[in-house]
Amino acid sequence: MTSFDPFAGSGPRWFTIAAQRPFLEDLASGVLAWLGEASPEVLSDAIILLPNRRAARAFSTALARAAGARPVLLPEVRPLGDLEEDEPPFAPGALGLDLPPAIAPLRRRFEMARMIVERFDADLTPLRALELADALGGFLDSCQLEEIVEPARVAHLVKGEMARHWERSAQFLSLAVEAWPERLKALGLVDPAWRRATLLRRLAETWDAEPPARPVIAAGSTGTLPSAADVLGAVARAPQGCVVVPGLDQALDEAAWSKIEEAHPQAALKRLLERHGVERAAVRPWLSSEVETARSRVIQEALRPAEATDDWRGAIRDLRARVWADRSADPIAEGLKGLSLLTVRAEEEAASAIALMMREALETPGRTCALVTPDLDLSRRVEARLERWGITADSSAGAPLALTEAGGLVQLAARWMADPLSPQTLLALLKHARRRPELSTEIAARTLEGKGLRGPRPRDWTALLRKLEQAGQPRDGQAAPSPERLARLSEARSLAETLQGLVEAARAPFAGGRAPLDKAATALTELIEALAGPAAWAGRDGEAAAGLMSALIEQGEALGGVTPDELAALVAELIAAETVRTGGASHPRLRILGAIEARLARADLMILAGLEEGVWPRPAPTDPFLSRPMRKALDLPAPERRLGQTAQDFVQAACAPEAVMVVRERRGGQPAVRSRWLWRLEMLVSGAHGETTPVTIAAPDAVLSLTRALDAPARATPDYARRPEPRPPVHRRPRNLPVTSIERWVRDPYAIYASRVLGLKKLDRPGASAEAMARGTAIHAALETVVRTWPDALPEDCAEQIEAWLIHEIDAAGFEDHAMARERPLAANCARWLEGFERARRARGAQLLVEQSGALTFNAPGGPFTVTAKADRIELDATGAAVIDFKTGSAPQAKQVAAGFAPQLTLAAAILAEGGFPAPPTEATELLYVQLTGRREPGKVTDVGAEGAAFMAERELARLKAGVALFDDEAMPYRSWVAPQFMGTFGGNFDHLARVWEWHVAGAEEEGAQ
């Protein structure tokens, strides 16, 4: 293998490795072939320049693998995109002796935001200032990397040559070339992009003046930056230097080559060769004589310049007329061998299919697989699917800081500062993995959750503490709480007081509404450390979070003040932009790569995913400050240049011997459009169809069917549940029910089974808004106060006092401020109507009984049965009694009461007639529902005893006795929704347990599902 010498002959020396070849492996093989049997010191003296650090690490691995058992000393492998002057190939300080250090990215962002506030707009919020700093930094990086920063040219744009609405943008951008250099000079720092471009420029000039005597190979770079392109030129001209570019298309006809535009995959290489005056034909293959295969030719033809596709059928005939290794095979069909297209429905199916293919690759010993996609969301989905088999792939994307423990803790603490009584945030903090164990015990946290934070949200800390205190007080008819329960409540109260002290101390800087950003960040940091201690900043994610908080503290002073809400939004925005390189053990044969990282990588199976417009390729970026004429005036590259770079990434991956392209029909719930590259490839294939044998892009065998079968249910048809019909033993069936449960029993017996037999209770959501039941309870309490305060006549103008009681009770029920804004005018209307109602009723001289409890026991086949009731009001007079129930919602109709579906008033009347209330046995003469809404019709009285109240009460009691006797038979089931026509859309608390949706909505019962 000693015949290969990349440095033979006079320079410049330009090589290419074909797109279908594994770039780094071929590069390593060529280096070893050049070395031959010479001393290993020859190789160690060489310099290998690669595009980035990941490529440098991968090349070292490829070189060691290619060497096998042969001992070699590794060359000096350097990333061209991340040079430092104090590392080889430079002598310490040789190039950057006079260059200040680069400013850290985070500090640069904050310093630039401070400058924008001071020099451009003092009214900007910190978050908006940081957003503008990002835009300004992007513009500055573009100018510095392209080496075209000229303040006079930016200022020239302001002089009216552009449309007036662009002048403000030009004024803003002038900060980058006027104010920002002054700020950097004062700091003694420089921009990273400027420093990088300067180092590359100096390296190119140094090597042009004094070519390196050592062997130098620059490989994998396309020279998209002018300074990097000139370094490549200097290497090619060196006595022992050569350049190896990836995937140069040497077979594209000259007419098409001349029409290549910025969005073409060969645009960067064409620009590089033209910059150095190198003819495409002068570029030689590296090591191998293989320039292209049928696959690479098909892909390159599919992506040929748009202006050169006027006779695509002629191009297809020319392609078929060329001489290939296998003359009998159709070159297009041959090019599609090993290339397949998988069309899936949406993201979930795409991730499952990709994970399945990656898992299947591991079944073959030594087989490698790489997923290439710019879609970070898809790559994370694939990682999650691989965890099904306990596999962790080597991913280049890292993890978003927002999804790590430290990032989540910082966001939660910021949100807690903004909203101290948010139950969800408070519970998330108490259950966070990094919470200090000594902050609270698990029992205290659970007690605080169950007794203080579930249900309506407390309005303040006093209300929360009062709620915990009330949970320890005995209720009517119940025994006093046990000492253990009182101890748990005491511990929960102590925890609440501790949390109150922490958050109030953290909110102290916001006493005036706003706080300087640095003071606010300091308070937030202290709060985080009080919650988690040193563990808050542990690990790589903790280091990243600590760096963010340090930057906020150090750089936030000049960014103005923030409210707690603005601080929470700012922290969330900053954390969302950070990525953590988590590292850790990963599978050596599986990789997940971004498009750029995959340019030089190769695996046995390459999976290309995200081939939809807007994903791969992404749309040409829209500059918020520079129009296309402005970019052209500044000699900035067109936005389409980036499309050309991503197109080359696609070509490199798609030319692998075995590649699978994955495209989704829907993305984000919306129809997706196939990538332009995939469209063109399919058009080429369809144009070739029919002239010889049929040509298609095949789908990978059985992948889609296996993917869908992997999570498919065991049955081909849905296994819908039937209507539940539990039959508990008679002795387990309830023997005591209130009239409100009787009403539920008549409509939905299963709800009684779940609550009274199984003992299930609805668990309130943390911070649940006060709903209709809470409003009704509050109004009932206010009405009771009215009667107990004025048992006889009402005072004059008592509406205001009634209104105050209504508002007090509603507020105590936990209604939030926005709900109280609605309830106050409603309460005023209700109070005025109630005054008139009370005066009219009391004019009859009746005795008023409010919130009285009654009970009636009768014999049944299963033993004595007791029905209880709590009447809102009973009015006793000489003719009988009026049983009244107050409703804040809709009241039952008279026909529902007569049919027995709303037995609340009739059974209460029956209990009264039997002497079950603390009053003489009295027959009812009126059954009244009083609706209180406070709206246009504030109140309404409905008499549902049209058939005769006493008769209806007696009939309803007979119905109840018959119903109890019926359910005292063990064969009688507690069926769900026996009267659905009266259930409405509300349903019950146990409908999910009864699986009502399956048998009632989906109609499984009617279809006969088992």
Side-chain angles (χ1 to χ4, degrees):
M1 297 182 67
T2 58
S3 59
F4 177 70
D5 185 358
F7 307 113
S10 59
R13 304 174 190 84
W14 294 81
F15 297 88
T16 185
I17 296 177
Q20 72 274 6
R21 298 294 305 169
F23 186 92
L24 295 177
E25 286 77 3
D26 276 14
L27 180 64
S29 298
V31 169
L32 291 176
W34 156 66
L35 175 64
E37 301 299 329
S39 172
E41 287 79 5
V42 177
L43 179 59
S44 66
D45 193 46
I47 300 170
I48 311 293
L49 296 178
L50 290 165
N52 50 53
R53 291 185 180 273
R54 189 178 184 90
R57 291 193 299 268
F59 172 74
S60 298
T61 303
L63 189 63
R65 188 185 303 115
R70 179 182 180 184
V72 295
L73 295 178
L74 295 178
E76 293 178 356
V77 183
R78 294 295 312 281
L80 188 62
D82 192 13
L83 295 178
E84 287 296 336
E85 74 278 1
D86 58 348
E87 298 180 11
F90 319 119
L95 296 179
L97 185 63
D98 58 336
L99 294 182
I103 186 172
L106 201 57
R107 184 178 183 186
R108 178 186 189 233
R109 188 182 186 194
F110 279 94
E111 287 285 354
M112 195 169 282
R114 176 191 294 186
M115 178 193 68
I116 292 171
V117 171
E118 294 174 350
R119 304 284 293 270
F120 185 70
D121 190 345
D123 295 330
L124 290 173
T125 64
L127 181 58
R128 179 58 178 157
L130 288 171
E131 291 174 350
L132 290 175
D134 291 338
L136 187 64
F139 163 75
L140 189 59
D141 288 343
S142 299
C143 291
Q144 290 172 344
L145 292 174
E146 296 293 333
E147 301 178 276
I148 56 172
V149 177
E150 297 181 20
R153 296 176 63 187
V154 176
H156 180 69
L157 295 176
V158 189
K159 296 181 179 179
E161 293 189 2
M162 299 298 172
R164 178 173 295 178
H165 67 276
W166 289 107
E167 293 184 6
R168 180 70 169 165
S169 296
Q171 292 171 356
F172 171 74
L173 294 178
S174 66
L175 293 174
V177 290
E178 295 173 0
W180 181 239
E182 298 175 3
R183 179 63 61 91
L184 284 177
K185 184 177 180 181
L187 295 172
L189 300 171
V190 293
D191 278 314
W194 181 87
R195 198 172 193 278
R196 175 188 173 193
T198 301
L199 284 175
L200 289 172
R201 173 62 54 202
R202 291 185 179 185
L203 178 61
E205 294 171 352
T206 299
W207 279 356
D208 268 333
E210 299 179 11
R214 303 164 59 184
V216 182
I217 301 175
S221 176
T222 57
T224 52
L225 303 180
S227 54
D230 287 346
V231 170
L232 297 182
V235 170
R237 291 186 290 271
Q240 291 195 78
C242 67
V243 176
V244 186
V245 296
L248 177 65
D249 185 3
Q250 294 183 291
L252 187 65
D253 59 86
E254 286 298 329
W257 179 263
S258 64
K259 296 177 181 178
I260 285 178
E261 72 286 350
E262 288 287 0
H264 193 271
Q266 296 288 308
L269 293 174
K270 179 185 177 184
R271 191 166 51 251
L272 176 64
L273 296 180
E274 290 177 347
R275 184 181 185 91
H276 297 293
V278 178
E279 294 293 331
R280 183 169 47 130
V283 180
R284 293 174 285 168
W286 174 264
L287 184 64
S288 172
S289 59
E290 181 184 1
V291 176
E292 67 172 2
T293 60
R295 167 75 61 75
S296 63
R297 188 69 258 140
V298 168
I299 298 293
Q300 297 284 11
E301 284 295 335
L303 270 64
R304 66 165 38 222
E307 295 182 3
T309 57
D310 52 341
D311 187 14
W312 220 348
R313 290 188 179 274
I316 294 172
R317 287 192 296 270
D318 293 342
L319 182 61
R320 283 174 167 155
R322 294 180 57 185
V323 177
W324 299 90
D326 184 359
R327 298 188 179 186
S328 63
D330 179 13
I332 297 180
E334 191 71 18
L336 295 179
K337 286 184 178 179
L339 181 67
S340 53
L341 174 63
L342 180 65
T343 302
V344 297
R345 294 167 180 159
E347 293 92 339
E348 292 295 322
E349 191 169 81
S352 296
I354 293 169
L356 182 65
M357 288 187 285
M358 297 180 77
R359 174 65 182 84
E360 186 182 20
L362 298 181
E363 293 298 311
T364 303
R367 182 174 171 83
T368 59
C369 178
L371 166 64
V372 182
T373 179
D375 191 339
L376 295 180
D377 179 68
L378 179 60
S379 66
R380 293 186 191 113
R381 288 175 185 263
V382 173
E383 289 182 75
R385 299 304 184 283
L386 288 173
E387 289 181 3
R388 169 185 294 180
W389 299 291
I391 298 172
T392 301
D394 179 13
S395 176
S396 65
L401 180 57
L403 299 182
T404 63
E405 286 185 356
L409 176 64
V410 174
Q411 291 185 93
L412 284 171
R415 283 159 48 191
W416 188 38
M417 282 182 64
D419 190 0
L421 283 165
S422 169
Q424 291 79 9
T425 305
L426 195 50
L427 289 174
L429 282 171
L430 289 175
K431 298 178 182 181
H432 197 276
R434 299 197 180 187
R435 172 189 58 82
R436 286 192 299 115
E438 61 271 20
L439 181 64
S440 68
T441 64
E442 181 180 354
I443 293 177
R446 292 179 61 181
T447 304
L448 177 61
E449 175 185 354
K451 303 302 180 183
L453 298 176
R454 287 192 175 271
R457 166 180 168 157
R459 298 182 62 83
D460 50 36
W461 289 99
T462 302
L464 175 60
L465 296 173
R466 184 171 59 248
K467 193 173 181 181
L468 292 172
E469 183 179 354
Q470 290 174 349
Q473 297 175 354
R475 297 183 180 180
D476 295 339
Q478 295 184 355
S482 65
E484 292 80 5
R485 180 180 180 184
L486 291 176
R488 291 196 301 269
L489 289 169
S490 177
E491 193 174 352
R493 182 183 178 90
S494 177
L495 173 59
E497 291 172 344
T498 301
L499 294 171
Q500 179 184 5
L502 289 177
V503 75
E504 287 181 350
R507 289 174 61 88
F510 299 94
R514 305 181 75 84
L517 181 56
D518 58 331
K519 302 297 183 185
T522 301
L524 176 58
T525 303
E526 292 172 350
L527 177 62
I528 294 169
E529 293 177 349
L531 290 168
W537 319 117
R540 296 186 180 180
D541 57 336
E543 292 176 8
L548 267 179
M549 298 310 301
S550 297
L552 278 172
I553 295 171
E554 294 171 2
Q555 311 296 328
E557 180 181 2
L559 294 184
V562 292
T563 64
D565 288 331
E566 290 172 347
L567 177 64
L570 174 61
V571 167
E573 184 76 17
L574 292 174
I575 287 180
E578 289 292 312
T579 300
V580 180
R581 305 297 174 185
T582 53
S586 59
H587 202 287
R589 292 195 279 138
L590 296 183
R591 288 181 290 174
I592 299 177
L593 305 171
I596 297 176
E597 291 86 358
R599 182 180 298 176
L600 306 182
R602 185 55 51 89
D604 296 327
L605 173 63
M606 300 288 286
I607 303 174
L608 287 65
L611 287 171
E612 300 91 26
E613 283 295 308
V615 181
W616 198 9
R618 299 189 185 280
T622 301
D623 196 315
F625 298 107
L626 291 178
S627 64
R628 286 181 179 270
M630 293 172 75
R631 294 184 66 88
K632 185 176 181 181
L634 291 173
D635 292 334
L636 285 172
E640 287 76 17
R641 177 173 293 187
R642 189 174 300 175
L643 297 181
Q645 297 168 1
T646 59
Q648 187 187 26
D649 300 335
F650 167 76
V651 171
Q652 290 288 114
C655 286
E658 187 175 356
V660 178
M661 301 180 293
V662 181
V663 62
R664 294 165 287 191
E665 294 176 340
R666 300 183 70 84
R667 179 173 174 269
Q670 301 295 325
V673 178
R674 292 174 179 245
S675 170
R676 64 190 70 182
W677 306 319
L678 184 55
W679 271 113
R680 300 196 72 182
L681 179 59
E682 290 182 316
M683 289 177 62
L684 176 68
V685 171
S686 64
H689 182 77
E691 295 190 7
T692 57
T693 56
V695 179
T696 58
I697 305 177
D701 292 339
V703 170
L704 200 56
S705 59
L706 287 174
T707 299
R708 292 173 178 172
L710 194 61
D711 295 316
R715 292 173 53 122
T717 57
D719 187 13
Y720 290 122
R722 294 297 299 268
R723 186 199 299 257
E725 296 182 344
R727 295 175 173 84
V730 173
H731 72 275
R732 294 292 306 275
R733 303 191 180 199
R735 310 308 302 171
N736 185 318
L737 286 176
V739 292
T740 50
S741 294
I742 299 293
E743 182 171 340
R744 173 59 66 178
W745 191 12
V746 170
R747 298 169 182 265
D748 187 11
Y750 184 84
I752 301 302
Y753 166 76
S755 61
R756 299 287 174 165
V757 178
L758 300 182
L760 302 179
K761 295 181 179 180
K762 178 185 177 183
L763 190 63
D764 291 332
R765 300 188 311 274
S769 59
E771 298 176 352
M773 184 175 294
R775 185 174 187 269
T777 302
I779 290 180
H780 279 74
L783 291 173
E784 183 179 359
T785 303
V786 170
V787 176
R788 296 194 186 281
T789 303
W790 303 311
D792 299 317
L794 296 179
E796 295 294 331
D797 299 328
C798 62
E800 292 183 3
Q801 184 61 52
I802 296 175
E803 178 185 350
W805 285 330
L806 288 172
I807 292 175
H808 172 75
E809 294 293 342
I810 293 173
D811 184 63
F815 279 71
E816 298 179 5
D817 291 339
H818 66 276
M820 289 302 300
R822 178 195 67 222
E823 293 297 331
R824 285 190 176 90
L826 296 181
N829 292 341
C830 282
R832 289 192 292 269
W833 186 88
L834 276 172
E835 180 184 9
F837 171 79
E838 289 288 341
R839 293 188 187 282
R841 298 300 299 180
R842 297 189 186 200
R844 304 171 59 180
Q847 178 186 355
L848 303 183
L849 302 178
V850 296
E851 299 296 332
Q852 294 293 320
S853 297
L856 172 63
T857 302
F858 56 85
N859 292 322
F865 187 92
T866 302
V867 57
T868 63
K870 189 171 185 178
D872 290 346
R873 181 183 295 188
I874 298 174
E875 297 180 353
L876 302 175
D877 57 24
T879 61
V883 183
I884 303 176
D885 186 61
F886 292 93
K887 296 287 186 183
T888 55
S890 59
Q893 300 176 7
K895 62 180 181 180
Q896 293 177 343
V897 176
F901 289 108
Q904 181 178 357
L905 287 183
T906 50
L907 285 178
I911 295 173
L912 178 63
E914 296 291 333
F917 281 101
T922 308
E923 290 188 346
T925 55
E926 290 182 292
L927 301 176
L928 304 180
Y929 281 112
V930 180
Q931 290 178 270
L932 292 173
T933 62
R935 295 183 174 86
R936 179 174 298 181
E937 186 179 11
K940 180 182 178 181
V941 179
T942 303
D943 188 352
V944 295
E947 299 181 61
F951 166 74
M952 295 175 67
E954 183 179 352
R955 181 178 62 186
E956 197 60 49
L957 181 59
R959 284 175 177 164
L960 174 61
K961 292 179 178 179
V964 171
L966 191 63
F967 275 88
D968 278 348
D969 181 359
E970 192 168 314
M972 183 64 184
Y974 285 83
R975 304 185 75 204
S976 175
W977 277 39
V978 297
Q981 68 271 29
F982 294 110
M983 293 291 289
T985 58
F986 173 70
N989 295 329
F990 306 101
D991 289 349
H992 61 293
L993 186 63
R995 298 170 73 172
V996 171
W997 189 93
E998 296 185 41
W999 59 262
H1000 181 68
V1001 180
E1005 190 173 45
E1006 288 73 13
E1007 295 171 8
Q1010 298 298 319

